[in-house]
């Protein structure tokens, strides 16, 4: 069933579990996400970024909406990192049930102003809204933030921001980062900051850049001929702890990209003569489903639908 983000995230915050928000770019990724959610009876959020929307257009949106509408578990369709008011309105017109306006690169006043505009328009259409305060480092499509420009969320400022905008859920910078390279070794997650934000805010909180970048996936990628540096992700234990203190939405993109690539590379290496797309993409879909299942079990959303 296709629902808004709040219909999924408010119960998650109250129940102290997290819901995976997985990015998709095509049919196979979408199937891996929603079919796994069905099998595990887990609510789920499917995200489409502006880059993915440019790539797949209305066709990709229709795929997600069709699978979500026929699903027997709650599914929200979310615009990830919407860059403008116009982008958010376009997503709403296409059938998205949740949108993000990311004006975190602006100062507080402009961020709040742009967010409030989107909130007013979205709420009028029955769509819920995510915004961000603080800045995550790393790279994700058009989002490029250096270590020098990244800064963690100020809890008191976050409280003022929510009061000024009426946003439904808020992404906070707590030590996670976008991409496969999140630092040397295990990234530090500021749990005290999460707890302080949760004390001041009653709305669901969001953790971006939360892929685990499993070592075995990285090893399989290299073994299949892929080239990747010292890639590290967010530890399962940190995500589990974060869900106990207000983090309800956990964004995952890199893990699925890595799994997709591993599946395709291994299939072609196993049979270089293969040219049936189903036999090339099928293994990739299965491996992505395994990672989605792992994340749902870590976050505690299994059986919550």
């Amino acid at each position: 069933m296709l629902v808004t983000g709040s219909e999924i995230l408010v119960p998650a915050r109250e129940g102290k579990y997290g819901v995976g928000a997985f990015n998709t770019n095509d049919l196979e990724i979408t199937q891996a996400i929603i079919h796994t959610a069905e099998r595990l009876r887990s609510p789920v959020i499917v995200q489409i970024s502006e880059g993915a929307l440019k790539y797949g257009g209305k066709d990709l949106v229709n795929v997600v909406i069709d699978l979500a509408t026929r699903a027997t578990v709650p599914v929200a369709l979310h615009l990830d990192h919407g860059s403008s008011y116009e982008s958010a309105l376009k997503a709403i017109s296409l059938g998205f049930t949740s949108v993000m306006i990311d004006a975190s690169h602006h100062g507080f006043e402009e961020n709040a102003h742009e967010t409030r505009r989107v909130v007013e328009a979205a709420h009028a259409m029955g769509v819920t809204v995510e915004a961000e305060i603080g800045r995550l480092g790393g790279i994700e499509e058009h989002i490029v933030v250096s270590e020098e420009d990244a800064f963690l969320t100020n809890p008191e400022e976050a409280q003022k921001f929510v009061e000024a905008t009426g946003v439904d859920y808020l992404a906070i910078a707590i030590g996670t980062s976008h991409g496969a390279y999140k630092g040397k070794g295990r990234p530090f997650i500021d749990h005290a900051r999460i707890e302080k934000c949760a004390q001041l805010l009653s709305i669901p909180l969001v953790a971006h850049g939360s892929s685990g970048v499993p070592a075995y996936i990285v090893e399989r990628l290299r073994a299949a001929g892929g080239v990747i540096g010292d890639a590290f992700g967010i530890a399962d234990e940190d995500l589990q702890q974060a869900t106990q203190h207000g983090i309800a939405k956990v964004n995952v993109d890199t893990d699925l990209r890595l799994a997709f690539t591993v599946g395709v590379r291994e299939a072609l290496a196993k049979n270089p003569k293969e040219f049936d797309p189903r036999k090339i993409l099928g293994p990739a879909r299965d491996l992505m489903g395994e990672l989605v299942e792992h994340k749902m079990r870590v976050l505690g959303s299994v059986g919550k639908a």
Side-chain angles (χ1 to χ4, degrees), residues 224 264-272:
V264 170
R265 281 185 172 274
E266 289 181 345
L268 291 174
K270 182 178 180 180
N271 186 0

Side-chain angles (χ1 to χ4, degrees), residues 17-63:
Y17 60 88
V19 174
F22 302 94
N23 285 64
T24 189
N25 297 284
D26 63 15
L27 171 65
E28 284 76 19
I29 302 173
T30 308
Q31 288 177 322
I33 297 166
I34 296 181
H35 289 174
T36 303
E38 283 265 38
R39 180 167 55 82
L40 299 179
R41 308 307 303 161
S42 171
V44 72
I45 297 173
V46 179
Q47 303 194 141
I48 298 178
S49 67
E50 290 184 347
L53 193 56
K54 182 178 180 181
Y55 173 78
K58 179 62 174 173
D59 295 337
L60 177 59
V61 174
N62 286 345
V63 166

Side-chain angles (χ1 to χ4, degrees), residues 70-136:
R70 292 189 287 114
T72 59
V73 297
V75 181
L77 173 55
H78 178 76
L79 174 67
D80 189 26
H81 286 290
S83 61
S84 66
Y85 176 81
E86 291 75 18
S87 177
L89 260 59
K90 177 182 177 182
I92 293 170
S93 72
L94 290 173
F96 284 67
T97 60
S98 175
V99 295
M100 179 187 185
I101 172 65
D102 184 1
S104 60
H105 51 290
H106 295 301
F108 180 93
E109 293 300 331
E110 187 167 355
N111 188 359
H113 173 72
E114 288 303 301
T115 299
R116 184 63 199 174
R117 291 178 68 204
V118 173
V119 168
E120 290 174 350
H123 284 184
M125 299 299 293
V127 172
T128 50
V129 181
E130 172 186 339
E132 181 173 334
I133 190 165
R135 297 210 75 192
L136 275 69

Side-chain angles (χ1 to χ4, degrees), residues 57-215:
K58 179 62 174 173
D59 295 337
L60 177 59
V61 174
N62 286 345
V63 166
V64 179
I65 290 177
D66 177 63
L67 287 173
T69 301
R70 292 189 287 114
T72 59
V73 297
V75 181
L77 173 55
H78 178 76
L79 174 67
D80 189 26
H81 286 290
S83 61
S84 66
Y85 176 81
E86 291 75 18
S87 177
L89 260 59
K90 177 182 177 182
I92 293 170
S93 72
L94 290 173
F96 284 67
T97 60
S98 175
V99 295
M100 179 187 185
I101 172 65
D102 184 1
S104 60
H105 51 290
H106 295 301
F108 180 93
E109 293 300 331
E110 187 167 355
N111 188 359
H113 173 72
E114 288 303 301
T115 299
R116 184 63 199 174
R117 291 178 68 204
V118 173
V119 168
E120 290 174 350
H123 284 184
M125 299 299 293
V127 172
T128 50
V129 181
E130 172 186 339
E132 181 173 334
I133 190 165
R135 297 210 75 192
L136 275 69
I139 300 173
E140 183 181 21
E141 297 191 350
H142 64 285
I143 308 296
V144 180
V145 182
S146 67
E147 290 185 11
E148 292 76 18
D149 292 332
F151 60 92
L152 300 184
T153 300
N154 179 300
E156 288 78 15
E157 192 174 65
Q159 183 183 31
K160 294 178 182 177
F161 183 84
V162 171
E163 292 172 350
T165 62
V167 71
D168 299 289
Y169 21 102
L170 184 68
I172 56 176
I174 52 175
T176 58
S177 60
H178 295 122
Y181 308 103
K182 302 180 188 297
K184 298 294 183 181
R186 179 171 173 172
F188 170 75
I189 303 302
D190 194 337
H191 290 287
R193 190 176 300 271
I194 299 173
E195 291 185 41
K196 181 62 175 178
C197 287
Q199 290 170 3
L200 297 176
L201 301 171
S202 60
I203 64 172
L205 303 177
V206 181
H208 282 238
S210 295
S211 285
V213 192

